[in-house]
Amino acid sequence: MDPVTLSRIQFALTAGYHWIFVPASIGMGFMVFLLWTMAVITNEEQWYKAAKFFSKWLGVFFVLGVPTGIVMEFEFGANWANYSMFVGSIFGPPLMLEGLFAFALESTFLGVLLFGMDRLPRVISWIAAFFVSLGSALSGLWILIANSWQQVPSAYIIRDTPLGPRAELTNFMKAVFNPLLVSEYTHTINSAIITGAYIVAAVGAYYLLKKRHVQVARSAVAIGIVVLAISSVIQLYPTGHEEGRVIAQYQPTKLAADEGLYHTTVGAPMVVFGIVDEKNQQIKYAIEIPKLLSWLSFGDWNAKVMGLHDAAEYVWYQQVLNNPNYANEKVKKQVVDSIMKAYGINPNDPDANEKMVQVLEKSVPVAFMFYAYRVMVGLGTLFIAIGGLGVLLLLLGRLYDARWFLKVLVVTLPLPWLAGEAGWFTHEVGRQPWMVWGMVTVNNGASPNVSATSVLITLIGFVVVYLLLFYIWLHFVKKLVREGPEPVEGDVTSNPAPAVSAAGGGQ
């Protein structure tokens, strides 16, 4: 394999592995804050024990999220040097601010929470939990500022420098609040809340099935289900819908791949499911909802949605060649020639532009995108159903005794991670071949002097180390499950506890 492909595999591995812990950390930070809030408001022991117990879960996720994230920052410099040179002055500051402010805030108060919750007043632990949750949310904000800018760049100029073309900011706030940030941030953070709510609800369900720690378990299931029901709906609308509208406007090739739309269509249907035939460029056995894609994308039932080829043409001619952010024609030629040469295209060939359109068209794996997108949306729909059914059972007073439903919660616990990974693969693979949309591709953004052997050796090393870390993480998770929360006075673990309120309160 060539070093570019190996570098992409390595980054996909490290980013995907990192994402196991990120949504759990952010989501559990929010859930732990809610649990401490209930503990302070109600002053009831089961909420206090639940808050302490799940604070330990938060610590276990956080401790592995940190080192797996730091690795990726080194990869930018080692494997993607040309990319770092081109856009480092824009991409670097958000990463610095994330570490300087958000991570410092989160880690400091997590230490106060974990080491002080047995020694400090509950209200102090509640304050610490608030700042942990705030820190994790701010951490995600700075990372997604950097990511969203790469997806939809704004407020920049490309200048010629002694080291070659380089993107520089012209307005920091406009770059921060680029068109994609708000929808991407809210959609991502909300997906993390879904994960955190699912963890709390599923762990509580497990203890109810085992008839252990019943009062804490009831509290956990109740609050987890309520948060899951609310956040699952928000994930679909407005956050998911708004992000889709931005993608339709700024990243038409990604939209075409998500929907398996090969041909430009007026009043385009939404394909619920079908079989992708990439050879013949069609979706076989498609189950469609007429005109829905046009309406969701542009708010017009008869809007035109570009097919993959037309979308690739639009990206190349309008977003690359007609990009108004080149400082002059000289730097424009340097950037365009660099992109073409990275794919073996002679910029002087009369059909060079059409060849680049073909590169853009073929770089997006339509079948992968089509199925990954439907995994994400399908699981999101399932979470709405589970959350809604759980709330109904809670209101009817049957949630804690519905063993079939409790089993569903436990068995489906991995699904929020699967949905999150599918979403990120859709988000990142869908922008191929761009690292920075319209400016830097994976081919001309890679480090020119890193060999395939070097990347392969480090890739193998990451696999070995990450497997070891995952084993250690599983050990601590099993230990937490086995030990469980501290006992609540009067709770008999061999039998269900006396009835509690719908919110899980009372003894």
Side-chain angles (χ1 to χ4, degrees):
M1 270 189 202
D2 62 279
V4 173
T5 301
L6 285 170
S7 294
R8 292 178 66 187
I9 292 172
Q10 184 183 100
F11 195 83
L13 169 71
T14 52
Y17 186 84
H18 180 55
W19 192 248
I20 295 174
F21 306 102
V22 171
S25 296
I26 296 174
M28 287 299 292
F30 179 76
M31 294 303 299
V32 165
F33 169 66
L34 289 185
L35 288 167
W36 278 105
T37 300
M38 293 300 298
V40 170
I41 292 174
T42 67
N43 200 33
E44 293 177 345
E45 280 301 299
Q46 69 270 18
W47 289 112
Y48 176 56
K49 303 298 186 183
K52 290 178 64 177
F53 177 58
F54 285 106
S55 295
K56 297 175 184 177
W57 279 78
L58 171 59
V60 169
F61 284 111
F62 177 84
V63 76
L64 279 184
V66 173
T68 56
I70 291 174
V71 165
M72 292 190 293
E73 297 186 10
F74 286 102
E75 285 181 84
F76 289 129
N79 294 5
W80 307 101
N82 285 343
Y83 154 83
S84 299
M85 184 68 68
F86 186 92
V87 79
S89 63
I90 298 176
F91 189 75
L95 299 186
M96 177 201 69
L97 293 170
E98 186 267 340
L100 189 62
F101 295 110
F103 174 72
L105 179 70
E106 182 184 10
S107 57
T108 298
F109 281 96
L110 181 60
V112 173
L113 179 63
L114 292 178
F115 294 106
M117 58 188 180
D118 288 321
R119 300 174 176 85
L120 300 172
R122 294 183 186 182
V123 69
I124 301 299
S125 294
W126 173 76
I127 292 172
F130 169 76
F131 282 111
V132 170
S133 182
L134 176 63
S136 65
L138 290 176
S139 180
L141 174 63
W142 286 113
I143 297 300
L144 292 175
I145 285 171
N147 180 272
S148 61
W149 187 89
Q150 292 180 109
Q151 303 271 351
V152 184
S154 58
Y156 70 96
I157 188 170
I158 304 175
R159 300 185 188 278
D160 189 19
T161 73
L163 296 176
R166 179 182 176 90
E168 298 176 359
L169 283 182
T170 57
N171 187 310
F172 179 76
M173 293 308 295
K174 286 185 178 179
V176 166
F177 292 101
N178 61 75
L180 184 59
L181 174 67
V182 173
S183 59
E184 180 180 0
Y185 177 70
T186 53
H187 193 60
T188 303
I189 295 300
N190 193 68
S191 74
I193 292 174
I194 290 173
T195 304
Y198 224 108
I199 293 170
V200 172
V203 171
Y206 172 80
Y207 286 130
L208 286 179
L209 289 169
K210 296 292 184 180
K211 298 183 180 180
R212 296 173 54 203
H213 314 291
V214 174
Q215 293 194 56
V216 170
R218 288 186 169 194
S219 300
V221 172
I223 197 169
I225 280 295
V226 171
V227 174
L228 175 63
I230 296 171
S231 57
S232 296
V233 174
I234 293 173
Q235 192 69 355
L236 176 65
Y237 185 87
T239 66
H241 175 64
E242 288 304 317
E243 184 169 1
R245 289 170 64 90
V246 175
I247 288 170
Q249 181 177 354
Y250 293 96
Q251 297 182 312
T253 50
K254 181 186 289 187
L255 175 65
D258 283 343
E259 300 301 336
L261 190 67
Y262 287 101
H263 309 291
T264 298
T265 304
V266 175
M270 170 70 75
V271 179
V272 178
F273 193 74
I275 305 299
V276 179
D277 182 354
E278 291 186 305
K279 181 179 179 181
N280 296 308
Q281 296 194 342
Q282 62 178 328
I283 305 297
K284 292 182 176 180
Y285 317 113
I287 302 172
E288 300 178 341
I289 302 176
K291 298 189 176 186
L292 184 59
L293 178 60
S294 289
W295 182 79
L296 289 175
S297 300
F298 302 105
D300 181 352
W301 295 102
N302 295 308
K304 181 174 70 174
V305 182
M306 285 184 283
L308 185 58
H309 180 76
D310 289 346
E313 278 191 337
Y314 175 84
V315 170
W316 182 250
Y317 286 102
Q318 299 301 320
Q319 296 182 324
V320 179
L321 297 184
N322 288 332
N323 185 347
N325 296 305
Y326 297 113
N328 51 54
E329 286 297 317
K330 177 186 175 183
V331 74
K332 172 182 174 180
K333 187 176 188 308
Q334 288 176 315
V335 172
V336 172
D337 287 1
S338 173
I339 294 172
M340 287 185 170
K341 289 176 181 178
Y343 291 91
I345 298 172
N346 185 345
N348 297 317
D349 286 348
D351 60 347
N353 287 323
E354 187 54 40
K355 288 180 179 178
M356 270 310 306
V357 170
Q358 292 175 10
V359 167
L360 299 186
E361 186 177 356
K362 294 177 181 178
S363 294
V364 187
V366 176
F368 178 89
M369 292 286 295
F370 182 85
Y371 296 128
Y373 183 74
R374 273 142 193 81
V375 168
M376 177 189 70
V377 174
L379 289 176
T381 306
L382 177 63
F383 299 152
I384 292 174
I386 291 175
L389 181 57
V391 168
L392 178 61
L393 291 171
L394 180 65
L395 294 175
L396 294 174
R398 296 166 55 186
L399 176 61
Y400 311 123
D401 299 318
R403 293 183 63 83
W404 64 271
F405 184 77
L406 299 176
K407 290 177 181 177
V408 167
L409 288 177
V410 174
V411 171
T412 58
L413 177 56
L415 295 185
W417 279 279
L418 178 59
E421 296 283 0
W424 272 108
F425 275 116
T426 301
H427 195 59
E428 297 302 312
V429 176
R431 64 167 156 154
Q432 292 304 309
W434 303 109
M435 295 188 73
V436 181
W437 193 269
M439 286 184 271
V440 183
T441 70
V442 291
N443 277 22
N444 71 326
S447 300
N449 299 318
V450 175
S451 67
T453 302
S454 298
V455 180
L456 181 60
I457 290 172
T458 54
L459 175 59
I460 294 171
F462 280 135
V463 171
V464 173
V465 173
Y466 281 4
L467 286 174
L468 178 61
L469 288 175
F470 193 75
Y471 174 79
I472 295 172
W473 175 77
L474 280 179
H475 167 76
F476 282 105
V477 168
K478 289 179 180 178
K479 186 173 184 291
L480 279 173
V481 173
R482 184 172 60 250
E483 293 179 354
E486 296 173 2
V488 176
E489 184 178 353
D491 190 6
V492 181
T493 60
S494 59
N495 295 294
V500 296
S501 67
Q507 291 192 50

